[in-house]
Amino acid sequence: MFNDIGLLEVLTIVVLAVLIFGPDKLPKVIQDVAGFIRKIRDFSDSAKRDIREELGPEFKDFEFEDLNPKTFIRKQLENDDLGLKDIRDSFDLRKEMGDVADAVNGREEAESVAGPAADGPVDLTKRPEKSAPVAAGERPPFDIDAT
């Protein structure tokens, strides 16, 4: 809880406490604060104990830290009842993305494994020619399904 408090911060708090409460009242204030913290901790522990008793034996391994969504998800992912580890291990994102890129570019399965064709690198900006160019004055072909 107080892992990042340095010596300078502790010294500043002590000096402020001495200035505010005075050296004669400071021990009494420290005892009161410690007693208050102890009471809060006891109250919290008894509340947790009561909740666990009321939940019954089904929730014997229930931890209040599991109510934090990060902790809950991490615990569920580590628990491999659903076989998620096998699915995660079998999924290769690079291979899947390569297959999708090959399908979009119209490359064959053998080409994607062996690399591009022997003519040289593939230019992805060029569109393949589907028909002959249109002569002057002639209407271009119209594809009703494309609109």
Side-chain angles (χ1 to χ4, degrees), residues 35-46:
F36 181 70
I37 291 173
R38 198 174 305 119
K39 283 182 184 179
I40 290 175
R41 190 176 295 146
D42 291 341
F43 176 74
S44 172
D45 290 341
S46 68

Side-chain angles (χ1 to χ4, degrees), residues 1-5 41:
M1 182 173 159
F2 297 111
N3 292 337
D4 57 344
I5 293 181
R41 190 176 295 146

Side-chain angles (χ1 to χ4, degrees), residues 103-128:
V104 168
N105 294 328
R107 287 187 242 155
E108 294 295 321
E109 185 74 26
E111 246 184 27
S112 67
V113 173
D119 336 320
V122 176
D123 185 9
L124 299 178
T125 60
K126 272 183 147 179
R127 292 185 167 208

Side-chain angles (χ1 to χ4, degrees), residues 67-78:
L67 297 177
N68 182 350
K70 268 187 179 177
T71 309
F72 178 77
I73 290 172
R74 186 177 297 124
K75 186 175 180 181
Q76 296 304 319
L77 288 176
E78 288 173 0

Side-chain angles (χ1 to χ4, degrees):
M1 182 173 159
F2 297 111
N3 292 337
D4 57 344
I5 293 181
L7 183 63
L8 186 60
E9 287 90 359
V10 172
L11 186 62
T12 305
I13 291 172
V14 169
V15 168
L16 284 175
V18 168
L19 289 175
I20 292 173
F21 299 111
D24 52 336
K25 292 183 183 178
L26 192 59
K28 175 70 174 142
V29 171
I30 291 174
Q31 285 178 346
D32 291 344
V33 170
F36 181 70
I37 291 173
R38 198 174 305 119
K39 283 182 184 179
I40 290 175
R41 190 176 295 146
D42 291 341
F43 176 74
S44 172
D45 290 341
S46 68
K48 285 181 183 180
R49 192 176 332 107
D50 290 344
I51 290 173
R52 282 196 182 105
E53 288 173 3
E54 293 295 324
L55 287 176
E58 300 90 28
F59 295 96
K60 65 180 178 186
D61 57 347
F62 173 74
E63 294 295 327
F64 287 94
E65 291 80 22
D66 292 343
L67 297 177
N68 182 350
K70 268 187 179 177
T71 309
F72 178 77
I73 290 172
R74 186 177 297 124
K75 186 175 180 181
Q76 296 304 319
L77 288 176
E78 288 173 0
N79 184 6
D80 200 21
D81 292 341
L82 301 174
L84 294 176
K85 186 170 174 39
D86 296 335
I87 294 171
R88 240 185 339 225
D89 292 342
S90 67
F91 184 71
D92 184 13
L93 183 62
R94 287 188 181 159
K95 181 184 178 303
E96 296 295 327
M97 291 302 292
D99 292 345
V100 169
D102 291 344
V104 168
N105 294 328
R107 287 187 242 155
E108 294 295 321
E109 185 74 26
E111 246 184 27
S112 67
V113 173
D119 336 320
V122 176
D123 185 9
L124 299 178
T125 60
K126 272 183 147 179
R127 292 185 167 208
E129 295 293 328
K130 292 189 177 184
S131 61
V134 180
E138 189 178 324
R139 289 183 60 156
F142 181 75
D143 186 4
I144 191 124
D145 293 331
T147 57

